[in-house]
Amino acid sequence: MTQRRTLRMPREYFEDLYVGSPDPWGFVTSDYERQKYDATMVAIGGGHRNALEIGCSIGVFTQRLAANCRQLLAVDIAETALDAARRRCGDLPNVEFRRMQFPDELPDDRFDLVVLSEVGYYWTLPDLDLFLAWLRDALTPDGVFVLVHWTGGTDYPLTGDQVHDHVVTATHDFLHATHKAYNDFYRLDVLAGGDRPADGA
Ligand SMILES: C[S@@+](CC[C@H](N)C(=O)[O-])C[C@H]1O[C@@H](n2cnc3c(N)ncnc32)[C@H](O)[C@@H]1O
């Protein structure tokens, strides 16, 4: 059995990955990523005013997300990834890129869409709690929080399912599920603030 890491994965881990390969997860070429992005975009919907993408990497999903948001703040821990993202999205004036290390560094703004895709399992449960304490105030009452994670085996501090289970439980007093998808590869949960109806409502 793979030994799981116990500490949050540091900036150097990601910088090294990007120095070793310009697209370490194959975001541009992978069918898994493309199909997951398609499903995530359908779940997210359009008309968002001020969105936040945490862990934007080289900006492949950012490009798609930007079309559905008036303003988008896209952050990543790795400067090498952000350089590539800025180049990829250079023609998108509604996107701002910023280097931030969540949850030690958190934006002051409020958002009506927050996307955490394939990032939560690099954190620990206390990290997730710090992030969720911030989200409680940072997400507008009509806001949407979108979580997507690979559910396969890794040595990361948390599994995808642990991230989703913990978030759903820890936010039940201020967020409710509006959309869920679970397949052999990933899990997608959309949670919304009090002003948004649940699926089918
Ligand atoms: C697997 S990629 C996910 C990219 C994109 N969100 C997606 O789903 O296609 C994870 C990204 O999260 C970034 N990351 C990891 N830990 C982070 C942290 N604590 N704060 C901000 N970004 C982080 C990494 O540098 C990497 O670019």
Side-chain angles (χ1 to χ4, degrees), residues 37-46 48 144 146 178-179 188-190:
Y37 291 161
D38 290 347
T40 307
M41 287 307 299
V42 170
I44 282 175
H48 300 286
V144 180
V146 178
T178 61
H179 180 90
L188 167 65
D189 281 284
V190 181

Side-chain angles (χ1 to χ4, degrees), residues 14 18 25 27 37 55 57 76-77 100 102 117-118 122-123:
F14 298 100
Y18 287 112
W25 289 274
F27 295 129
Y37 291 161
S57 181
D76 203 282
I77 199 172
M100 296 188 95
F102 267 63
S117 170
E118 315 274 20
Y122 300 123
W123 302 350

Side-chain angles (χ1 to χ4, degrees), residues 8-9 14-15 18 25 27 33 36-37 53-58 61 75-78 81 100-103 116-119 121-123 148:
R8 183 198 316 164
M9 293 173 66
F14 298 100
E15 291 287 8
Y18 287 112
W25 289 274
F27 295 129
E33 299 296 344
K36 187 193 65 183
Y37 291 161
E53 182 190 10
I54 303 161
C56 63
S57 181
I58 59 173
F61 186 63
V75 306
D76 203 282
I77 199 172
M100 296 188 95
Q101 176 168 316
F102 267 63
L116 187 73
S117 170
E118 315 274 20
V119 182
Y121 37 38
Y122 300 123
W123 302 350
V148 193

Side-chain angles (χ1 to χ4, degrees), residues 38-93:
D38 290 347
T40 307
M41 287 307 299
V42 170
I44 282 175
H48 300 286
R49 299 181 300 275
N50 193 26
L52 171 67
E53 182 190 10
I54 303 161
C56 63
S57 181
I58 59 173
V60 178
F61 186 63
T62 315
Q63 245 179 341
R64 295 189 60 171
L65 193 54
N68 289 24
C69 311
R70 199 185 305 155
Q71 277 189 301
L72 171 60
L73 173 63
V75 306
D76 203 282
I77 199 172
E79 197 59 58
T80 317
L82 286 169
D83 286 345
R86 286 189 185 100
R87 283 194 298 276
R88 183 179 308 281
C89 299
D91 60 343
L92 301 175

